[in-house]
């Protein structure tokens, strides 16, 4: 069961890394189409090709930041307040990291794209998590995510297993039968 949770977490990390890359492109598109001067900059910004090298930072760093925040180790359905707080911290760290790297390398790219990237990332991940939450709360989602197990052992073993599952936050496991091998 732990292996299956690890596989689900790896898939979420890959999806989120791809979404972060897409959101950076979307932030550049929004900023380039808006044609407004932001933070003392000009209305015109550099073409997206000049921003591409930032993908080397954004893609691997995105899921590392979220993993550091504990985003992938939480139960599937958590408090919305904690979700928003974790996302806000993660997106803020991403924006700060990109700006620091741009500063250290003395790259003069539109900072408004990076800040807009943090805002767009926050909104898109929050929408993705809300859609996932609503699917998990549906009958179809609950049936898909629930794992039914048959435990072979004594009743003490079953009680210990249930206690471990509660500690691990494995709400998706249901013991449907117990086979006592000692009887």
């Amino acid at each position: 069961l732990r292996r299956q949770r690890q596989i689900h977490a790896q898939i979420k990390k890959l999806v989120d890394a791809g979404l972060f890359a897409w959101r950076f492109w979307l932030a550049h598109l929004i900023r380039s189409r808006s044609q407004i001067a932001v933070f003392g900059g000009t209305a015109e910004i550099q073409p997206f090709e000049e921003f591409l090298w930032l993908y080397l930072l954004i893609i691997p760093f995105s899921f590392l930041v979220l993993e550091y925040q504990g985003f992938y180790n939480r139960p599937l359905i958590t408090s919305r307040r904690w979700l928003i707080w974790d996302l806000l911290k993660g997106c803020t760290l991403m924006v700060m990291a990109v700006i620091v790297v741009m500063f250290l390398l003395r790259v003069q790219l539109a900072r408004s794209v990076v800040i807009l990237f943090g805002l767009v990332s926050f909104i898109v991940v929050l929408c993705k998590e809300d859609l996932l939450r609503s699917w998990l709360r549906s009958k179809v989602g609950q049936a898909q995510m629930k794992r039914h197990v048959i435990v072979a052992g004594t009743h003490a073993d079953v009680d210990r297993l249930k206690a471990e599952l509660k500690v691990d936050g494995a709400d998706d496991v249901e013991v449907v039968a117990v086979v006592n091998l000692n009887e």
Side-chain angles (χ1 to χ4, degrees), residues 111-138:
R111 293 175 303 276
S112 59
V113 171
V114 178
I115 293 169
L116 190 58
F117 160 68
L119 180 65
V120 169
S121 294
F122 176 79
I123 292 169
V124 171
V125 172
L126 188 61
C127 289
K128 178 193 77 130
E129 290 297 319
D130 279 344
L131 286 173
L132 182 63
R133 268 176 102 135
S134 64
W135 180 76
L136 286 172
R137 288 189 173 160
S138 72

Side-chain angles (χ1 to χ4, degrees), residues 21 24-25 27-29 31-32 44-58 98 102 107-115 117:
F24 189 71
W25 172 83
H28 182 274
L29 180 71
R31 173 58 181 89
S32 65
E44 291 288 324
I45 63 170
Q46 300 87 350
F48 186 70
E49 290 77 27
E50 293 186 33
F51 288 85
L52 277 176
W53 67 272
L54 286 172
Y55 275 160
L56 296 174
L57 174 70
I58 289 170
V98 172
M102 287 172 56
V107 176
Q108 297 296 324
L109 295 174
R111 293 175 303 276
S112 59
V113 171
V114 178
I115 293 169
F117 160 68

Side-chain angles (χ1 to χ4, degrees), residues 16-165:
D16 285 344
L19 285 176
F20 268 97
W22 173 74
R23 290 180 291 244
F24 189 71
W25 172 83
L26 184 62
H28 182 274
L29 180 71
I30 291 169
R31 173 58 181 89
S32 65
R33 299 286 166 100
S34 66
Q35 296 292 323
I36 56 172
V38 182
F39 304 118
T42 63
E44 291 288 324
I45 63 170
Q46 300 87 350
F48 186 70
E49 290 77 27
E50 293 186 33
F51 288 85
L52 277 176
W53 67 272
L54 286 172
Y55 275 160
L56 296 174
L57 174 70
I58 289 170
I59 291 173
F61 196 65
S62 62
F63 64 83
L64 290 175
V65 167
L66 290 178
E67 184 173 2
Y68 174 73
Q69 295 294 326
F71 190 73
Y72 299 113
N73 295 332
R74 62 185 171 74
L76 290 174
I77 298 178
T78 75
S79 164
R80 186 166 170 78
R81 181 179 58 175
W82 289 111
L83 173 69
I84 289 172
W85 179 242
D86 284 344
L87 279 177
L88 188 61
K89 288 190 299 186
C91 291
T92 303
L93 281 173
M94 279 296 300
V95 168
M96 289 173 41
V98 172
I99 288 175
V100 165
V101 167
M102 287 172 56
F103 175 77
L104 292 175
L105 296 177
R106 301 186 193 287
V107 176
Q108 297 296 324
L109 295 174
R111 293 175 303 276
S112 59
V113 171
V114 178
I115 293 169
L116 190 58
F117 160 68
L119 180 65
V120 169
S121 294
F122 176 79
I123 292 169
V124 171
V125 172
L126 188 61
C127 289
K128 178 193 77 130
E129 290 297 319
D130 279 344
L131 286 173
L132 182 63
R133 268 176 102 135
S134 64
W135 180 76
L136 286 172
R137 288 189 173 160
S138 72
K139 288 183 180 182
V140 173
Q142 289 176 358
Q144 290 287 328
M145 299 307 292
K146 191 72 96 173
R147 303 291 174 237
H148 303 284
V149 296
I150 298 173
V151 179
T154 64
H155 289 292
D157 292 336
V158 173
D159 292 338
R160 185 174 40 85
L161 177 65
K162 286 181 180 180
E164 286 179 17
L165 290 174

